Amino acid sequence: MPKKRILPYVLLGLINNKGSLSGYQISQEFKNEVGDFWHASHSQIYPELGRMKDDGWLKDHDEDKSTFYTLTTEGHQILRTWMQEPLDDNEELFSLKLYFIKDESDPLLNTLLKEELQIKQTKLDYLQGRLQTVFDTENKIKDNYGHYLILTRAIERESNHINWLKNKL
Amino acid sequence: MPKKRILPYVLLGLINNKGSLSGYQISQEFKNEVGDFWHASHSQIYPELGRMKDDGWLKDHDEDKSTFYTLTTEGHQILRTWMQEPLDDNEELFSLKLYFIKDESDPLLNTLLKEELQIKQTKLDYLQGRLQTVFDTENKIKDNYGHYLILTRAIERESNHINWLKNKL
DNA sequence: CAGGACATGTAAACCGTTACATGATTAA
DNA sequence: TTAATCATGTAACGGTTTACATGTCCTG
């Protein structure tokens, strides 16, 4: 199966968040925090917006030398469906989807948090298992100290994330 | 400038860690812990090993139907130089380089930790600034709750990483 | 009036994945 | 003996970046 494309959904989500955006504004968005978990260059954005309009996900209108895009009804549906698709072990996707939730009372918020908690718990278990099998003696730690460090770091990282998730649930 | 290729250095580091590896063994490595912060498929690995041999970074010898690769003197130098290049805001690279440090007493260890600390501190400052400028009123939090969540999460994440780094220094 | 930001577009190059291929060895 | 694993290779495809291009508007 071909690799799942995310860019169109990112654009859908970003435009939906602001109501309406131009290609240029989207590329500016990626220079702020959105850029921490997703990025696209203008040479990707403009053609993609064109395709999405052709597919009926977006409608556009010109104003002040810019072309602004807004979601169509179909676009809203497609975004909604994508938002409800199960997460995988990819923190960027989790952040992205969270970013697209505007209202604290959106029931999707809790679904996302629970799903992410499940995934991270599984990962933490896996990492702790690795730590015990790979570093069962002091000597193995000494001989692969860097590896030991990043493994323990990864465990602390996941624990921290899990605690945060539990706190928000 | 063209985008910096990392794969050859990853291969250099992995082979150096184990002394000598075949292409197949490398692709197996990526299925274990290494796979948590880097991955490459065999269709990338084999041609890359060939190129690196052509470039004089590696030498090979056949044994048991497999081709094993070892660093040349030049390969060692190139790896060393790359390890000493400054880090950027890319946690995978930090983990990768740590992974390639075998000995706790390697002076590079402290250099890496200090550099990463500096980078993360800068990032934390930036994120805290964003929090204050973007969410200066309660209403803005209410209206972009998901965004607020990921921003505060990012801040906690960086703080946790910074504390870990300080603890190791 | 020059340099930077705004605004959009396309072509080429690059990197990585999936798929297609092949053959040897080993365990059920 | 047949399926799985070992072991390597290459072709096609797709997504992203860099580079090339063009024109406007605003500010110092």
Side-chain angles (χ1 to χ4, degrees):
Chain A
M1 70 216 101
K3 204 186 167 183
K4 180 86 185 148
R5 297 207 57 205
I6 299 178
L7 181 60
Y9 303 100
V10 175
L11 300 186
L12 233 34
L14 288 175
I15 297 167
N16 185 55
N17 263 17
K18 304 279 176 179
S20 145
L21 283 173
S22 69
Y24 186 77
Q25 286 178 318
I26 291 172
S27 63
Q28 295 311 107
E29 286 283 304
F30 285 123
K31 288 179 184 163
N32 295 331
E33 314 86 67
V34 194
D36 285 342
F37 40 90
W38 206 266
H39 186 261
S41 55
H42 80 271
S43 57
Q44 250 190 306
I45 295 166
Y46 290 116
E48 190 65 53
L49 289 172
R51 269 191 295 272
M52 290 166 76
K53 189 196 157 196
D54 291 346
D55 291 348
W57 297 16
L58 300 174
K59 54 183 180 249
D60 64 349
H61 67 106
D62 288 15
E63 194 185 312
D64 292 335
K65 265 113 228 245
S66 287
T67 307
F68 288 87
Y69 293 87
T70 316
L71 298 221
T72 59
T73 311
E74 195 187 344
H76 278 113
Q77 263 164 21
I78 286 166
L79 177 59
R80 188 166 205 76
T81 304
W82 177 76
M83 288 288 284
Q84 285 165 355
E85 270 173 28
L87 292 167
D88 50 18
D89 183 6
N90 179 347
E91 225 167 298
E92 276 152 15
L93 246 145
F94 168 70
S95 301
L96 208 47
K97 287 190 176 181
L98 256 194
Y99 185 77
F100 294 153
I101 291 180
K102 305 205 68 173
D103 197 320
E104 189 174 357
S105 63
D106 190 330
L108 235 124
L109 182 58
N110 255 279
T111 313
L112 272 179
L113 293 170
K114 270 184 201 152
E115 252 187 283
E116 181 75 353
L117 181 60
Q118 181 62 54
I119 288 163
K120 290 298 164 180
Q121 207 108 52
T122 306
K123 183 156 187 179
L124 180 59
D125 289 348
Y126 162 79
L127 291 171
Q128 279 169 339
R130 291 299 301 177
L131 185 64
Q132 284 184 357
T133 53
V134 182
F135 296 105
D136 53 346
T137 67
E138 281 295 319
N139 268 350
K140 289 185 183 167
I141 295 177
K142 278 226 165 104
D143 292 344
N144 295 281
Y145 193 66
H147 184 181
Y148 174 74
L149 277 186
I150 55 153
L151 193 47
T152 51
R153 169 64 200 136
I155 287 169
E156 195 176 318
R157 194 179 113 89
E158 297 306 327
S159 301
N160 180 262
H161 194 182
I162 285 169
N163 286 337
W164 181 83
L165 287 166
K166 280 181 175 165
N167 188 252
K168 296 294 165 191
L169 274 165
Chain B
M1 70 215 101
K3 205 188 168 184
K4 182 85 184 148
R5 297 207 54 197
I6 300 180
L7 181 60
Y9 303 99
V10 176
L11 300 186
L12 232 35
L14 288 175
I15 296 168
N16 185 56
N17 262 18
K18 304 279 177 179
S20 147
L21 283 174
S22 69
Y24 186 76
Q25 286 177 320
I26 291 171
S27 63
Q28 294 311 106
E29 286 283 305
F30 285 123
K31 288 180 183 162
N32 296 331
E33 322 83 61
V34 196
D36 286 340
F37 42 90
W38 207 267
H39 186 262
S41 55
H42 80 271
S43 57
Q44 250 189 307
I45 295 166
Y46 291 115
E48 192 64 55
L49 289 171
R51 271 191 294 272
M52 292 166 76
K53 190 197 157 194
D54 291 347
D55 291 348
W57 297 17
L58 300 175
K59 54 181 180 251
D60 64 349
H61 67 105
D62 287 16
E63 194 186 312
D64 291 335
K65 265 114 228 247
S66 285
T67 307
F68 288 88
Y69 292 88
T70 318
L71 298 222
T72 60
T73 311
E74 196 188 344
H76 277 113
Q77 263 165 22
I78 286 167
L79 177 59
R80 188 166 204 78
T81 305
W82 177 75
M83 287 288 284
Q84 285 165 356
E85 269 173 28
L87 291 167
D88 51 17
D89 183 6
N90 180 347
E91 226 168 297
E92 273 155 13
L93 242 133
F94 169 70
S95 300
L96 210 45
K97 287 189 175 181
L98 260 194
Y99 185 76
F100 294 152
I101 291 179
K102 303 205 69 172
D103 198 320
E104 190 174 357
S105 64
D106 190 329
L108 235 124
L109 182 59
N110 255 279
T111 313
L112 273 179
L113 293 170
K114 271 183 201 151
E115 251 188 282
E116 180 76 353
L117 181 59
Q118 182 61 55
I119 288 164
K120 290 296 164 181
Q121 207 107 52
T122 306
K123 183 155 186 178
L124 180 59
D125 289 348
Y126 163 78
L127 291 171
Q128 279 169 341
R130 290 296 300 177
L131 185 64
Q132 283 182 359
T133 54
V134 182
F135 296 105
D136 53 345
T137 66
E138 282 295 318
N139 268 352
K140 288 185 184 167
I141 296 177
K142 278 226 166 103
D143 292 343
N144 295 282
Y145 192 66
H147 185 181
Y148 174 74
L149 277 187
I150 58 151
L151 193 47
T152 51
R153 168 65 199 135
I155 287 170
E156 195 177 318
R157 194 178 112 89
E158 297 307 328
S159 301
N160 178 262
H161 194 181
I162 285 170
N163 286 336
W164 180 84
L165 287 166
K166 281 182 174 163
N167 187 251
K168 297 293 164 190
L169 273 166

